[in-house]
Amino acid sequence: MAREYEVVYILDPTLEAAQVNELLERHHHLLVSPETANPVAHLDHWGKRMLAYSLKGREQGYFVVARLETQPHLLAEFERFLKLDEAVLRYLIVISEGMTEPVPGTEEAGVNLAAPAEEGV
């Protein structure tokens, strides 16, 4: 059974747009299975951003967020390739099942009004 994941990439900022797309296609191809011929549900390029601290000698990173649907057993090989790719400065993979979509207009402020409020705060 396929599950939904969200992957945040911080890539080398010296990459051109075509190189970023090629890199993402190469990595996402590892997640193809008979049940999920196209694992990418949504791809969002955030572009170059300043980093809070340097990563591998870089002060900036190219951020990409991808929502993927794939089989859980394919993630190990996918993650191995991410670790070996020198163009990937950092990445984070999370299960996105049960997550709510942000309220339109709040993405920039980093506020998600659709998320349940914590009690006792």
Side-chain angles (χ1 to χ4, degrees):
M1 181 171 138
R3 294 185 83 171
E4 257 189 53
Y5 298 92
E6 191 167 274
V7 182
V8 179
Y9 303 94
I10 303 176
L11 305 174
D12 186 342
T14 61
L15 295 175
E16 299 293 327
Q19 292 172 312
V20 169
N21 289 330
E22 177 192 331
L23 179 135
L24 293 172
E25 284 179 29
R26 187 174 60 236
H27 288 298
H28 294 163
H29 183 71
L30 297 170
L31 300 173
V32 173
S33 69
E35 292 137 5
T36 55
N38 183 14
V40 181
H42 182 74
L43 192 61
D44 191 14
H45 290 261
W46 288 4
K48 291 180 186 176
R49 308 254 174 145
M50 290 298 297
L51 299 172
Y53 53 90
S54 75
L55 293 174
K56 297 183 182 178
R58 306 286 198 288
E59 299 296 324
Q60 288 187 332
Y62 190 92
F63 285 72
V64 178
V65 178
R67 187 168 292 230
L68 308 168
E69 186 173 336
T70 189
Q71 301 295 319
H73 70 275
L74 297 174
L75 282 180
E77 187 70 7
F78 174 69
E79 191 168 6
R80 187 177 79 82
F81 271 86
L82 290 177
K83 287 179 183 176
L84 294 174
D85 194 334
E86 291 183 12
V88 179
L89 302 179
R90 286 279 199 278
Y91 66 91
L92 175 68
I93 304 171
V94 295
I95 298 173
S96 65
E97 291 177 337
M99 293 178 65
T100 59
E101 293 296 322
V103 174
T106 61
E107 296 89 0
E108 290 298 316
V111 177
N112 184 354
L113 298 177
E118 292 184 27
E119 303 229 358
V121 177

